[in-house]
Amino acid sequence: GGADCGGEGGVSQGNSTPLRHWTCNVYGTMLLVDDLTPNVGLHWYFFAEMFAVFRPFWHFVFHALAGAMVGPLAARMPHRPLLGAVVGCITVAMLKPYPSLSDVAQYLALLPLVATQLAGGGL
């Protein structure tokens, strides 16, 4: 697997460094979602059932959705920034192409910080 960031091997080519090769493999895979093996995320199923010509548009939409949630969350909870941050972490964890147990552990660890705000109701 790994994303094609221009070049066959990062070490063998003169214009490519090992750091660039590593960066392309790590972050390029997250952005391009080229591995469609089943996992607990939404991306693999959505992109496996889609025609290849529409993939670039929907890649942009899926990645922009998490960023587009920042404004509405901040507007909805102006006096509760910590709760907004926790909800943002949950949103990012749900929308990641390759989610893992660490994503769930992150927001579950943050939930006790906002337990009193959630118990009070009235978001």
Side-chain angles (χ1 to χ4, degrees):
D4 182 27
C5 293
E8 293 296 319
V11 179
S12 63
Q13 291 185 335
N15 63 353
S16 183
T17 63
L19 179 62
R20 180 175 178 266
H21 183 68
W22 177 84
T23 305
C24 287
N25 280 338
V26 172
Y27 297 110
T29 300
M30 294 298 279
L31 292 175
L32 298 175
V33 192
D34 55 352
D35 181 20
L36 294 177
T37 56
N39 61 32
V40 295
L42 299 172
H43 284 253
W44 75 269
Y45 182 75
F46 189 77
F47 289 114
E49 298 293 327
M50 173 186 310
F51 292 115
V53 294
F54 298 117
R55 283 190 184 156
F57 171 74
W58 286 107
H59 282 299
F60 172 75
V61 169
F62 266 61
H63 289 298
L65 188 59
M69 295 290 217
V70 172
L73 280 174
R76 180 70 177 126
M77 298 179 246
H79 302 295
R80 297 177 180 185
L82 185 61
L83 183 59
V86 171
V87 172
C89 284
I90 293 170
T91 303
V92 168
M94 287 186 337
L95 296 175
K96 281 181 72 170
Y98 304 107
S100 66
L101 186 59
S102 66
D103 300 317
V104 176
Q106 178 186 12
Y107 72 77
L108 286 178
L110 294 174
L111 281 179
L113 294 174
V114 295
T116 58
Q117 293 178 2
L118 292 174
L123 294 177

